[in-house]
Amino acid sequence: KQEVTQIPAALSVPEGENLVLNCSFTDSAIYNLQWFRQDPGKGLTSLLLIQSSQREQTSGRLNASLDKSSGRSTLYIAASQPGDSATYLCAAPYNTDKLIFGTGTRLQVFP
Amino acid sequence: NAGVMQNPRHLVRRRGQEARLRCSPMKGHSHVYWYRQLPEEGLKFMVYLQKENIIDESGMPKERFSAEFPKEGPSILRIQQVVRGDSAAYFCASSPPSEGANSPLHFGNGTRLTVT
């Protein structure tokens, strides 16, 4: 069974800080891991997908890493901005392609 | 290219009524997933469908809930005889046929169901 855990549950930082969000998963036999962003009252936006053969993926100020052996992924956000305020979710696939989500990290970046 | 479309955005039902939630996947996508998000909780998988087939419904409650994805038209999540505990946001996601879970899932904006 796949279980996904995210820490911290909430994070509040001043604008400009670099920050790291953590995700851990129990079943390391994954073929990818995805990070999503969810704004209040909205759906999820895919940020990064890391294939199991990769160790990291980058998109702009975002960098996600994957360590299958330890069952961990991190999302690094550089030079945070107020517009980055949202809930960040990681998800790992299990069995028949379904994604198992963590409970998310609620990020607030204040000016 | 329109994204995943869900309607209605908000749905209010009284206890005992039926709720029908619709999802039109992105153009060219034939895989549809339904997730439920209870207040202050994470997204929970409900069901995975391909055209005319239910692939995995291990997250669906055994009673009152059903899902379909017909050859023509949107995917429908149907909840019969709703109860207050069904109040949640229901999200639909889609992916293309050739890549399955190796393609990022595209989510709709959800349907927020309130049962009074």
Side-chain angles (χ1 to χ4, degrees), chain B residues 56-68:
Chain B
D56 183 344
E57 56 180 348
S58 58
M60 288 274 273
K62 293 286 184 283
E63 298 177 350
R64 303 187 298 108
F65 284 72
S66 62
E68 62 176 8

Side-chain angles (χ1 to χ4, degrees), chain A residues 2 4-6 21-25 30-38 44-52 54 56-57 62-68 72-75 87-94 96-105, chain B residues 29 33 35 43 93-96 99-107:
Chain A
Q2 179 71 278
V4 180
T5 306
Q6 289 187 249
L21 309 182
N22 297 291
C23 172
S24 60
F25 46 93
I30 60 171
Y31 42 86
N32 67 48
L33 185 131
Q34 298 186 36
W35 282 93
F36 294 85
R37 167 185 173 141
Q38 185 177 27
L44 279 69
T45 301
S46 178
L47 296 174
L48 290 163
L49 183 151
I50 315 173
Q51 302 285 1
S52 61
Q54 300 171 320
E56 63 179 65
Q57 275 280 12
L62 304 180
N63 175 278
S65 67
L66 175 63
D67 184 345
K68 283 181 59 177
R72 290 181 184 172
S73 176
T74 60
L75 179 67
T87 296
Y88 291 81
L89 298 158
C90 72
Y94 178 68
T96 56
D97 294 348
K98 65 190 177 214
L99 287 182
I100 306 300
F101 282 84
T103 50
T105 293
Chain B
H29 286 194
Y33 307 77
Y35 285 82
L43 274 84
S94 72
S95 66
E99 298 171 43
N102 275 327
S103 173
L105 284 191
H106 297 265
F107 278 82

